Amino acid sequence: MSHDPDTAVEVTVVPRTHDLGDGFQVRRALPSRERRMVGPFVFFDEMGPHTFSAGQGLDVRPHPHIGLSTVTYLLQGEIQHRDSLGTNQSIRPGEVNWMTAGKGIVHSERTAAGQRAHPSPLFGLQCWVALPKSHEENDPSFLHIGAPQLPVIEGDGATARIISGSFLGQASPVPVASPMFYVDLHLQPGARLAMPAEYSERAVYVLDGSLDLGRDGRFGRGQLVVLKPGAAVTLGAGGATAARLMLLGGEPMDGPRFLSWNFVSSSAERIEQAKQDWKAQAFPKVPGETEFIPLPDIPGRPVSYP
């Protein structure tokens, strides 16, 4: 945590990097030792950029979720999503796959067969948004939003695409369950944008270029900058190059959340039940898929955030 009362920055997170094989890297900004959640965001991964060799690709076998919504947002490449609702949906850059697990869903994420005939790039972000207690046991659902359906705010060298929630008076068509925002912001060299303080918890992830916060300093690619509640902040592109920033946050959840493997819940007991259900293969199946990811050996009780 920051100890300077004059700074607008609460903490800076440098994500852990995991190599999933063949040089395909994932950077995990949330949860981290420095910060567990930002608003409802309990998980934030940057995957890639990576180019798969011909014949290779992403193969995330069927696995379960409860108590959260997942949001996949790509910058390069394509992923084929299949789930236990019978959804079979490809996602491309600028589009949104918003899957709400509720009481339980199973899905897979793969590179489609047609994409494997040649080298294929993959670069994107995957987040988990915790659900309010009143929505945790809702029926699962899936929504695909095309790029033209997302509101875009432009002006003075800044372009903000609202992925979910509300930002600067514009709202995404994604049906969120709690107050939040998730925005893809492009800043041309020298451009600046005042960050509204309408939400209690806010963060900026530097996806490309650098972030200039004036007297609060500059932050490089791959850093998650968590801002203090209510702090007046102006976002700028550092140096002579453009910046691409992901803005995220919202209101704090209605109590702590437990997280274990792919499960999020306000109840540790509910997570333990989900583990047993997955072991017993009591979750619904993904049509056409026979593989699955076994429950890993997870010692102890689920971790509580925050």
Side-chain angles (χ1 to χ4, degrees), residues 42-43 64-71 99-103 105 127-131 135-136 259 261-265:
V42 71
F43 181 95
H65 292 285
I66 65 164
L68 55 84
S69 292
T70 67
V71 52
M99 184 185 76
T100 297
K103 62 186 179 183
I105 199 167
C127 301
W128 297 353
V129 176
L131 294 173
H135 289 65
E136 284 184 313
L259 188 152
W261 193 39
N262 298 316
F263 303 129
V264 172
S265 178

Side-chain angles (χ1 to χ4, degrees), residues 11-84:
V11 67
T12 303
V13 178
V14 178
R16 308 185 307 276
T17 300
H18 303 273
D19 194 314
L20 302 184
D22 194 33
F24 180 46
Q25 294 187 335
V26 171
R27 296 175 182 85
R28 182 154 302 161
L30 295 174
S32 69
R33 180 176 54 82
E34 296 86 358
R35 185 75 180 218
R36 298 299 189 182
M37 297 177 68
V38 177
F41 287 84
V42 71
F43 181 95
F44 186 101
D45 261 9
E46 177 190 352
M47 50 184 180
H50 180 72
T51 300
F52 289 105
S53 304
Q56 303 297 313
L58 185 71
D59 275 305
V60 181
R61 295 166 291 162
H63 58 281
H65 292 285
I66 65 164
L68 55 84
S69 292
T70 67
V71 52
T72 303
Y73 186 73
L74 296 184
L75 301 108
Q76 295 177 358
E78 182 176 336
I79 293 176
Q80 197 72 23
H81 164 97
R82 292 184 177 87
D83 65 39
S84 50

Side-chain angles (χ1 to χ4, degrees), residues 90-238:
S90 61
I91 180 171
R92 300 177 181 89
E95 302 174 342
V96 176
N97 273 6
W98 186 273
M99 184 185 76
T100 297
K103 62 186 179 183
I105 199 167
V106 179
H107 74 131
S108 67
E109 297 161 297
R110 300 183 187 270
T111 301
Q115 296 289 313
R116 296 174 190 253
H118 48 77
S120 58
L122 185 60
F123 184 27
L125 300 157
Q126 288 196 315
C127 301
W128 297 353
V129 176
L131 294 173
K133 293 176 184 177
S134 59
H135 289 65
E136 284 184 313
E137 295 300 319
N138 282 8
D139 289 337
S141 62
F142 177 86
L143 182 68
H144 177 81
I145 300 291
Q149 296 173 262
L150 298 177
V152 176
I153 302 170
E154 293 184 277
D156 299 324
T159 303
R161 181 180 298 273
I162 303 167
I163 299 168
S164 61
S166 300
F167 184 76
L168 293 176
Q170 296 286 325
S172 163
V174 171
V176 297
S178 64
M180 61 167 291
F181 69 103
Y182 187 31
V183 176
D184 179 1
L185 176 65
H186 292 249
L187 292 177
Q188 296 303 317
R192 304 186 73 78
L193 178 75
M195 177 80 152
E198 59 185 301
Y199 297 97
S200 300
E201 299 187 357
R202 301 165 296 158
V204 182
Y205 185 77
V206 184
L207 198 57
D208 198 17
S210 62
L211 167 64
D212 182 3
L213 290 182
R215 66 191 183 98
D216 287 305
R218 276 192 189 176
F219 303 86
R221 166 146 175 40
Q223 295 186 67
L224 180 74
V225 183
V226 182
L227 305 173
K228 289 182 176 177
V233 176
T234 298
L235 311 176

Side-chain angles (χ1 to χ4, degrees), residues 246-296:
M246 303 303 295
L247 317 182
L248 60 141
E251 295 307 314
M253 293 307 295
D254 51 355
R257 287 301 183 271
F258 294 91
L259 188 152
S260 184
W261 193 39
N262 298 316
F263 303 129
V264 172
S265 178
S266 59
S267 164
E269 290 71 27
R270 178 66 180 92
I271 287 181
E272 292 305 315
Q273 180 61 56
K275 290 180 184 178
Q276 296 309 311
D277 289 345
W278 184 245
K279 271 187 177 180
Q281 286 296 288
F283 273 80
K285 302 291 191 290
V286 178
E289 296 259 19
T290 56
E291 297 182 302
F292 65 92
I293 299 177
L295 181 73

